[in-house]
């Protein structure tokens, strides 16, 4: 499997979230698994404007507005162009190979003209809009299994009136109801979403394989065991393969750290 990684996309944000430095750690851990690490170009300002207002993009990139981590550190802000570029490249490659990976996170809380929640630019919408502008896809879907509501993604879809051709399922809104988490029902909901996307002629699925739904994650009232998360991932990849839907996936949330500050495996 091709993994689109560049060291410039992995920078310690200096804050609570390990998301900024996670890409380097996970790629190092994967090197013995037979992955193929591929290079790519960072997202340009024009690419970012496919999902965001020009004013917001210019202000963040110039340092006059904070990034999603709440600072204006140039290396942290610059890394966001590389993570979005990774998502674009992985999505494009998935159309060829059926599956590809962007070892990035920090997208779904970024709205049309705002960032926050460790998210600066919405690489999910950027990647989809980039491929659509190139004539490579007509319909796409976002299956967001980060534990939190993908509010930024939702806002951009409605703001830019993309509802008719981008499907969006987000765990934080669609999985945890008034009665609490029910794993079997959630798996059924994910399966139904993928099958509906297939029936609608979906050309590409972006899958956020969020880790913060785990019982031990410190930033969320975790609801899933390790085996349940493995079952979730098996379902997504096997069903998309069965339906013939290309999948580009990224890491999404996950906030557990060891006492020394390292990210546990």
């Amino acid at each position: 499997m091709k993994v689109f990684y560049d060291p410039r996309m992995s920078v310690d944000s200096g804050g609570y979230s390990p998301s900024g430095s996670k890409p380097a750690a996970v790629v190092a851990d994967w090197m013995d698994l037979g992955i193929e690490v591929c290079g790519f170009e960072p997202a340009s300002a024009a690419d970012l404007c496919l999902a965001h207002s020009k004013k917001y993009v210019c202000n963040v990139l110039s340092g006059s507005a904070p990034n999603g981590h709440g600072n204006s550190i140039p290396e942290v802000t610059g890394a966001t162009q590389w993570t979005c570029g990774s998502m674009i490249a992985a999505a494009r490659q998935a159309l060829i190979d059926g599956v590809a990976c962007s070892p990035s996170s920090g997208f779904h809380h970024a709205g049309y003209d705002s960032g926050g929640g460790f998210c600066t630019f919405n690489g999910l919408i950027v990647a989809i809009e980039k491929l659509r502008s190139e004539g490579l896809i007509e319909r796409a879907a976002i299956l967001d299994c980060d534990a939190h509501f993908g509010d930024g993604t939702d806002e951009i879809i409605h703001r830019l009136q993309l509802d008719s051709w981008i499907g969006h399922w987000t765990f934080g809104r669609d999985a945890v109801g008034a009665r609490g988490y029910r794993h079997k029902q959630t798996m059924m909901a994910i399966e139904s979403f993928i099958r509906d996307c297939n029936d609608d002629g979906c050309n590409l699925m972006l899958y956020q394989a969020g880790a913060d739904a785990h019982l031990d994650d410190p930033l969320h009232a975790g609801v899933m065991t390790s085996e349940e998360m493995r079952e979730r991932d098996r379902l997504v990849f096997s069903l998309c393969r069965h339906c013939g839907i290309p999948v580009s996936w990224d890491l999404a949330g996950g906030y557990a750290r060891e006492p020394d500050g390292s990210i546990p495996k």
Side-chain angles (χ1 to χ4, degrees), residues 28-257:
D29 190 48
W30 291 346
M31 289 308 295
D32 293 333
L33 300 179
I35 65 170
E36 180 182 349
V37 177
C38 302
F40 59 94
E41 294 297 318
S44 66
D47 293 334
L48 300 176
C49 288
L50 293 171
H52 300 281
S53 73
K54 182 177 180 180
K55 179 179 179 181
Y56 173 67
V57 171
C58 291
N59 286 346
V60 171
L61 294 184
S62 68
S64 61
N67 55 49
H69 293 268
N71 62 60
S72 298
I73 301 171
E75 292 78 11
V76 176
T77 299
T80 64
Q81 291 183 261
W82 286 97
T83 54
C84 288
S86 171
M87 201 70 212
I88 293 170
R92 189 181 288 116
Q93 191 64 42
L95 299 178
I96 300 171
D97 294 346
V99 63
C101 174
S102 168
S104 58
S105 58
F107 294 139
H108 75 165
H109 291 310
Y112 179 72
D113 53 10
S114 64
F118 318 126
C119 303
T120 304
F121 300 117
N122 198 304
L124 304 168
I125 302 295
V126 170
I128 289 174
E129 287 287 79
K130 178 71 170 179
L131 268 58
R132 185 171 74 142
S133 72
E134 295 174 350
L136 296 177
I137 58 175
E138 294 181 352
R139 298 187 66 85
I142 298 169
L143 176 56
D144 184 354
C145 285
D146 183 290
H148 303 93
F149 173 35
D151 53 347
T153 302
D154 215 45
E155 187 227 332
I156 295 172
I157 288 174
H158 293 303
R159 181 79 171 262
L160 300 183
Q161 299 182 329
L162 306 176
D163 313 63
S164 63
W165 77 280
I166 298 180
H168 182 218
W169 191 94
T170 171
F171 187 98
R173 178 189 63 196
D174 302 322
V176 182
R179 295 185 178 182
Y181 179 72
R182 295 184 176 186
H183 182 69
K184 182 177 180 180
Q185 284 83 348
T186 298
M187 295 302 98
M188 292 173 62
I190 290 174
E191 179 175 352
S192 178
F193 176 75
I194 295 173
R195 292 192 183 279
D196 287 346
C197 290
N198 185 53
D199 292 342
D200 290 339
C202 179
N203 306 127
L204 175 68
M205 180 74 68
L206 300 189
Y207 173 44
Q208 289 222 115
D212 54 2
H214 194 274
L215 285 168
D216 295 332
D217 194 89
L219 198 60
H220 188 271
V223 294
M224 301 179 75
T225 66
S226 296
E227 180 51 41
E228 286 172 340
M229 293 184 73
R230 284 190 285 267
E231 179 186 355
R232 177 199 72 182
D233 292 345
R234 284 194 297 267
L235 171 64
V236 172
F237 289 113
S238 63
L239 186 55
C240 284
R241 183 172 61 248
H242 173 76
C243 292
I245 303 175
V247 182
S248 174
W249 64 281
D250 64 301
L251 301 174
Y255 302 92
R257 290 181 186 264

Side-chain angles (χ1 to χ4, degrees), residues 12 16-19 21-22 25-26 218 254-265:
D12 188 344
Y16 177 82
S17 173
S19 297
S21 55
K22 191 186 300 180
V26 296
Y255 302 92
R257 290 181 186 264
E258 299 289 6
D260 63 0
S262 63
I263 302 172
K265 296 181 179 180

